[in-house]
Amino acid sequence: MAPFFDWWGKETHRGTPVIVKMENPNWSIAEISSPDDEDYVAEAGAGDFPARPRKGGRGKNAKQVTWVLLLKAHRAAGCLTNLASTAVGLASAVRRRVTAGRMDTDAGASPPGESPVLRSRFYSCIKVFLWLSVLLLGFEVAAYYKGWHLAAPDLQNFVLPSFGVHSLLESIYSGWVRFRADYIAPLLQFLTNACVVLFLIQSADRLILCLGCFWIHLKKIKPVSKVANFADDPESGKHFPMVLVQIPMCNEKEVYQQSIAAVCNLDWPKSNFLVQVLDDSDEPATRALIKEEVEKWQQNGAQIVYRHRVIRDGYKAGNLKSAMNCSYVKDYEFVAIFDADFQPTPDFLKRTVPHFKDNEEVGLVQARWSFVNKDENLLTRLQNINLCFHFEVEQQVNGVFINFFGFNGTAGVWRIKALEDSGGWMERTTVEDMDIAVRAHLKGWKFVFLNDVECQCELPESYEAYRKQQHRWHSGPMQLFRLCLPDIIRSKIAFWKKANLIFLFFLLRKLILPFYSFTLFCIILPMTMFVPEAELPAWVVCYIPAAMSLLNILPAPRSFPFIVPYLLFENTMSVTKFNAMISGLFQLGSAYEWVVTKKSGRSSEGDLISLVQKEPKHQRSGSVPNLDTMAKEQALPKKQSKKKHNRIYTKELALAFLLLTAAARSLLSAQGIHFYFLLFQGISFLVVGLDLIGEQIE
């Protein structure tokens, strides 16, 4: 042992000490060196001289290099194992969700009031395109491998072959090429050019809106109220106008508590505002819970009343109209409206109502929305991108430059005189908020949008709920356009305001956008793969859509990694939007469908804490849920014992196979960008068609 200790004490054995940390699941390696830790080498042929430091740095012995390589190999193996397990888990989840899926053609899947015959026509048209594309793909592949891959110019010198089966098939193929070049290609090219023109006009409109938003931020333009504070003493209500607060709801047991608590804690003199809980629920248990919550707040001193309609006509518009007919409404000057999932901050009224002061032309003050569940899943992230652009760009630019925009239906304050002057709430469409906004604009009322005042709410977390919401939002404007067009033409507003309403607000943004989006990218693009004589430029397929998606995502910069899924998902949603637009324009059965968007009852923890801290002491007990009430709420779903499942969407699946078939056909024409776009767009339709993008539904 002595020679070993002698050798260990010498400094000529120098190496780098290594510490190996074993941390599940990875290992790590660390080197420890002292200030005088240097590699020494002895000069060759000078054994009696002391060793000198090597100029090239420290040396590594073989064992250390081996350890490093082994550790890196282990880490790489761990990463591969994690990827493999993730892929297996994802495949298993997909298999389970698809197995539990229900077709949207099943009994009971159709929305109420929608005719199955009308509903199936659109799907039948897509199926015709699908089977035709499959047939043409088989024909083209066979012709390609037989050497019959002819283009239209080649047919001028083409001579019909002699009689035979092989020759007959070749003659049929040459006839098909002549037919598509002479008859189909010109029509398809005309349709392509028309859609491209509409696409460019809509893109220019979006670019102008973005430039307007940039100018607003550059010049720091924002609406400023003429009064900073209504009164120095918030308890003396003589300077505070009378405000009516309405919360319309229907079977929304998940969110009623937090919305009522938030509204009752508004920082406004209690004698100067009244809360109306407008409950249209048809579930007795839900009605009992909401009524009990209202009574609890009444006992704590809040000015709040509960209203329930026996005859529930007109959906939300009918509910609001009925509430405005109460005799005490004449004592109030303004009305604030919040949907059941909205939670205004305590200073909401103090930041919105002052904009009416000394400005009798203002009829509406609208706040923007923020979302408590925007990061819940991919679907909510993509919705957040759209809505951030809507509020940050569309609403703000229109509010600043033309004092008009569509009322969002909630998180807004109306001057009651403006509502009455415009005819009040009407049940003629499913977009009563846009209806009253257009009629108020025609009467000369001005709107103010506050981009810095936010009101929290929820986004739909399942594709089924989001799809129904979008159907209502895109069919309603077309109904309204049919009804309002004569009134717009006869109105006394300026000509440029009429043009803005007709051509920009309705035609371009509500009709043309879903039309060209679906027609160009879901029908024309796949068809040009089978009719190559009609061309769709690559800049239309890739570059401009990418630029527009980049503009859309700028108001939500944290969502930039989702720019590609956003582009694909927007094209996927064009099916639902196009179907809704057609049903609203021609007043088909589904145009009058109204389904309350399903809520999950999510709320940000920080906001609940701040709400409890800011509410008055004598009301704090009212915001704390009653244990008996919570027990009732928990017992309610247990009795129903509903299972979650997926909805399989046939239209989206049919379009997925149509696009994937066109992608396969594009390989024969060596169209790279077209192939990748069709491939990924087809996969996007497949994911949505199998309902794999959001939460499952009950």
Side-chain angles (χ1 to χ4, degrees), residues 656-685:
F657 292 118
L658 171 63
L659 293 169
L660 292 175
T661 303
R665 171 62 181 86
S666 69
L667 291 177
L668 302 180
S669 304
Q671 301 189 38
I673 292 180
H674 296 72
F675 165 74
Y676 289 113
F677 181 86
L678 289 167
L679 176 64
F680 290 116
Q681 191 63 68
I683 294 174
S684 175
F685 269 101

Side-chain angles (χ1 to χ4, degrees), residues 492-664:
K492 297 180 181 180
I493 61 176
F495 175 78
W496 69 269
K497 291 185 178 181
K498 294 181 181 181
N500 173 71
L501 267 178
I502 295 174
F503 296 108
L504 291 181
F505 187 77
F506 279 114
L507 289 181
L508 183 60
R509 297 168 189 166
K510 311 299 181 189
L511 189 148
I512 291 177
L513 177 58
F515 171 78
Y516 88 76
S517 182
F518 171 74
T519 307
L520 186 62
F521 296 109
C522 300
I523 300 297
I524 291 179
L525 177 58
M527 289 298 100
T528 56
M529 298 299 101
F530 298 98
V531 186
E533 292 79 10
E535 297 181 357
L536 188 60
W539 55 268
V540 176
V541 177
C542 179
Y543 304 127
I544 292 187
M548 292 300 103
S549 298
L550 182 61
L551 291 178
N552 279 20
I553 215 167
L554 286 179
R558 291 181 56 192
S559 302
F560 185 78
F562 303 96
I563 185 170
V564 174
Y566 171 74
L567 172 61
L568 298 175
F569 181 69
E570 280 301 290
N571 290 333
T572 305
M573 281 304 300
S574 65
V575 183
T576 297
K577 296 176 181 179
F578 178 82
N579 189 23
M581 183 268 294
I582 294 296
S583 65
L585 190 61
F586 298 103
Q587 296 192 357
L588 304 181
S590 60
Y592 298 96
E593 168 195 352
W594 180 287
V595 179
V596 178
T597 305
K598 181 69 175 176
K599 313 295 193 309
S600 61
R602 299 185 189 276
S603 179
S604 72
E605 199 172 299
D607 292 327
L608 288 179
I609 294 174
S610 64
L611 180 64
V612 172
Q613 291 174 348
K614 290 182 180 181
E615 64 182 79
K617 293 182 179 180
H618 67 277
Q619 292 184 2
R620 183 166 298 179
S621 60
S623 65
V624 180
N626 193 330
L627 294 179
D628 296 335
T629 303
M630 294 178 63
K632 291 179 182 179
E633 291 178 339
Q634 294 176 358
L636 185 61
K638 290 182 180 178
K639 292 180 181 179
Q640 297 175 352
S641 64
K642 293 182 179 180
K643 294 183 178 179
K644 292 186 176 182
H645 65 275
N646 280 30
R647 180 77 71 198
I648 307 300
Y649 302 100
T650 52
K651 290 192 290 289
E652 283 80 357
L653 286 180
L655 277 169
F657 292 118
L658 171 63
L659 293 169
L660 292 175
T661 303

Side-chain angles (χ1 to χ4, degrees), residues 64 166 175 277 280 405 592 649:
Q64 294 169 2
H166 182 82
V277 178
D280 259 6
F405 47 83
Y592 298 96
Y649 302 100

Side-chain angles (χ1 to χ4, degrees), residues 445-456:
W445 292 98
K446 295 182 179 180
F447 301 165
V448 174
F449 178 75
L450 303 179
N451 192 53
D452 57 342
V453 179
E454 297 184 356
C455 189
Q456 286 197 336

Side-chain angles (χ1 to χ4, degrees), residues 127-139 526-527 530 657-659 661-662 665:
K127 284 198 299 185
V128 169
F129 278 105
L130 173 61
W131 289 113
L132 182 61
S133 65
V134 172
L135 179 64
L136 291 176
L137 177 62
F139 202 14
M527 289 298 100
F530 298 98
F657 292 118
L658 171 63
L659 293 169
T661 303
R665 171 62 181 86

Side-chain angles (χ1 to χ4, degrees), residues 40-41 77 142 156 209 235 267 274 289 333 356 387 422 461 482 583 650:
Y40 287 81
V41 294
Q156 298 177 356
L209 286 174
E235 296 301 327
D267 188 9
L274 173 69
L289 290 172
E333 187 177 356
F356 293 99
L387 290 172
S422 306
E461 295 183 6
R482 289 170 55 98
S583 65
T650 52

Side-chain angles (χ1 to χ4, degrees), residues 365-402:
V365 175
Q366 173 73 59
R368 71 173 294 167
W369 303 353
S370 60
F371 312 102
V372 297
N373 60 338
K374 62 183 179 181
D375 297 325
E376 187 63 28
N377 54 42
L378 178 60
L379 179 62
T380 58
R381 292 177 186 271
L382 300 180
Q383 292 179 68
N384 180 60
I385 296 173
N386 257 343
L387 290 172
C388 282
F389 181 85
H390 170 68
F391 287 108
E392 184 80 21
V393 180
E394 294 177 339
Q395 298 290 78
Q396 184 173 212
V397 170
N398 289 324
V400 168
F401 291 106
I402 61 177

